[in-house]
Amino acid sequence: ITQGKLVIGLDITSKQDNLQIVGLVYNAILGDGANSMIFQNVREKASLAYSARSTFVKQKLNIFIRCGIQIENYEKAVELIKVQLENIKKGEFTEEDIENAKTYLIASLKNVAEEQDTEMIYYMGQEISKTDMTIEEYISKIENVTKEQIIELANSIGINTIYFLRN
């Protein structure tokens, strides 16, 4: 076996308004999708990962970064991921990165209404989280996220766990 599974857990400690929406946009920039920093820099440019993605768990205010990597690339991959986290903290991402993240998230939300099952799950999630937000309101909140909010959030994020499954 030459491939291992890297998981990095992040905690968000920010108390800012609109935290869950800002967290979604932050995560889309960081690692959720093909335009994300982790996908582009760790997988595409450095060729350190077979798969590279992050997931935001809004109910727990955690982000999990997951990468399938060659075992010998462990240290390089971890270091490059840490660089991406620091770059966002320093505001080293573009307005295009923000727009790509928002477009990605909004497209996903617009697809919710396309299938009855997906729409039911969306509204059930709204009920469980005691949120009463229509898809249109959700989209509006995403559109209003600013670079400053993303940087503020980024500076409240810390690594809580690095786990590497191998052999």
Side-chain angles (χ1 to χ4, degrees), residues 129-140:
S129 65
K130 304 208 183 319
T131 314
D132 187 21
M133 196 178 334
T134 67
I135 293 171
E136 293 76 23
E137 290 169 323
Y138 213 132
I139 288 170
S140 177

Side-chain angles (χ1 to χ4, degrees), residues 16-29 56 105 141-142 144-154:
Q16 71 178 290
D17 292 337
N18 214 16
L19 177 60
Q20 292 182 342
I21 304 296
V22 177
L24 282 172
V25 177
Y26 169 90
N27 185 62
I29 292 168
F56 176 48
L105 293 168
K141 287 184 180 250
I142 289 170
N144 290 316
V145 171
T146 66
K147 186 171 186 170
E148 292 74 25
Q149 289 174 308
I150 297 165
I151 294 168
E152 180 183 338
L153 180 78

Side-chain angles (χ1 to χ4, degrees), residues 79-94:
E79 191 56 40
L80 192 51
I81 290 167
K82 287 180 179 179
V83 167
Q84 306 317 301
L85 295 168
E86 288 304 311
N87 286 347
I88 298 177
K89 287 180 180 182
K90 295 186 282 187
E92 294 178 4
F93 56 98
T94 66

